[in-house]
Amino acid sequence: MISMILLQVAAGAALGKVGAAFGAAIAAFAAGFGIGKIGQSAMEAMARQPEAAGNLRSGMIIAAGMIEGAALFAIIVCLLAIVL
């Protein structure tokens, strides 16, 4: 009886760790996809208006940094869920 309860608790903990790892992978993938879309849009805009390249580049770097910060926060939360 007690061994069955311990096995269920261990299986639940393992499933939680798998979920946290899956969440970290999704966060990393989504950040990469988002930064790729920012780069794509900025390159298209620079091709249409080359004189605005400096302003576009600054906005692109700021937006990419904000996405990276959010993704890093999400990955740290997922890794803490694995460890704790």
Side-chain angles (χ1 to χ4, degrees), residues 7-75:
L7 284 174
Q8 288 177 350
V9 169
L15 188 61
K17 290 183 179 189
V18 169
F22 189 65
I26 289 175
F29 178 76
F33 183 76
I35 291 172
K37 292 296 278 185
I38 289 172
Q40 175 188 2
S41 298
M43 289 298 122
E44 288 175 0
M46 285 180 206
R48 289 191 179 116
Q49 279 190 311
E51 65 274 2
N55 292 334
L56 291 169
R57 189 176 305 115
S58 299
M60 181 182 69
I61 290 172
I62 290 170
M66 293 179 76
I67 289 174
E68 282 290 327
L72 181 64
F73 180 72
I75 290 171

